[in-house]
Amino acid sequence: MYRTSEIIEQYGIEKNELTSYLIDNNIPIINEEEISKKYFQAVLSFIETKENRIEQKLEKAEATFKYNKKKNSVSIYQDDAISFLKKLPSSSVDLIVTDPAYSGMNNKLKLGSGRIVGKYSDKGKENGKWFGEFEDSEENYAIFLSECKRVLKKSTGHIYIMFDSYSLLSLGNVVRDHFDVKNLITWDKVNIGMGHYYRRRHEYVIFATNGNTRKIKNRSFPDVWRFKRIHSAKYPTQKPVEVFQSMIHASAEKDFTVCDPFLGSASSAIAAIKNNCNFIGCDISDKSIELSRSRISEYLEKGVDVLQTKSMAVDDKIFWE
Ligand SMILES: C[S@@+](CC[C@H](N)C(=O)[O-])C[C@H]1O[C@@H](n2cnc3c(N)ncnc32)[C@H](O)[C@@H]1O
């Protein structure tokens, strides 16, 4: 049995909308507010079509809203990733593309604070770093993933999570407890980076679905993506927009809602806009929010990406072009 009051609270649907749907579709209401399990899938499919649920729920949760552009429906918030996801309605987001701030690499490699973010360290606030790190214990990561699962739509939900080699070894397997992992994609950065034993030239992306069988757009897409890393980026760990575009091209339809709870410099938001998707995201850091706001508004107003002025593609043709 499902209580209508709980559905309203959890999924952020308006009471009158739900009641009309139940009446119009002759769905029996037992004990004045319960519906049986057999009708729930139909109710959920209806709920997933309802717009504005995200905004209404976030407003109620008094989320720290930092930027909103109605036209393209791009909203960014300043918050901790888990706390932000907890404020979103269930089954409300079509696609999550995200690049979390893992602390494992610094700890395990004992590179010391600021080493990974290299020359940015002197500008930082906390121990010479620009931004805080997400606590990536298995327990915390499992909470993060279960919230991602809850907010992703059951019918269409796909998720892409970026990993470095160390976080992949320690946390990659946890993803399988929550999602159907479909592939491990390699992002080949083309140019060599730092590293004590073999210099790093790649990162990983886990691609998974939320238990549904929705396919990606094209069966011929490869699982190695070649895009140059961004040198002298204004934001440390800024990824090429093309990396996120690859995810969104493969997994989104026009007007899908894309979510990134580790926004950074908003590369994922620019990719979502380029793909005519709605975007919602958050980051904990002041600097991220400040840069993201101006990057997104410049892009929407003038079509200019101020943080990535040229393509990072190296092949004649990108696989999705
Ligand atoms: C690897 S960066 C993302 C870079 C981004 N993909 C880009 O292209 O610019 C990770 C981001 O997570 C943010 N972050 C760290 N801890 C966080 C937390 N607990 N909740 C939300 N964001 C967090 C950091 O401020 C940082 O901007």
Side-chain angles (χ1 to χ4, degrees), residues 100-119:
Y102 299 107
S103 54
M105 190 133 161
N106 266 341
N107 295 339
K108 288 197 186 66
L109 284 177
K110 303 217 182 324
L111 291 177
S113 53
R115 182 75 186 276
I116 286 170
V117 293
K119 61 190 163 180

Side-chain angles (χ1 to χ4, degrees), residues 208-239:
T209 69
N210 193 11
N212 57 67
T213 52
R214 192 172 71 85
K215 300 276 182 283
I216 58 166
K217 206 163 280 164
N218 190 317
R219 289 172 62 164
S220 68
F221 287 169
D223 63 4
V224 177
W225 300 344
R226 274 161 52 84
F227 301 113
K228 278 189 276 184
R229 67 173 80 234
I230 297 187
H231 276 295
S232 308
K234 286 234 172 71
Y235 194 76
T237 73
Q238 180 187 330
K239 304 298 184 295

Side-chain angles (χ1 to χ4, degrees), residues 79-82 99-101 130-135 162 235-240 244 260-268 282-285 288 295:
D79 209 338
D80 162 72
I82 294 177
D99 172 25
W130 257 43
F131 47 70
E133 287 160 342
F134 179 63
E135 194 223 303
M162 299 189 68
Y235 194 76
T237 73
Q238 180 187 330
K239 304 298 184 295
F244 290 105
D260 182 357
F262 292 96
L263 180 67
S265 63
S267 305
S268 53
C282 81
D283 198 288
I284 206 158
S285 115
S288 151
R295 183 181 191 185

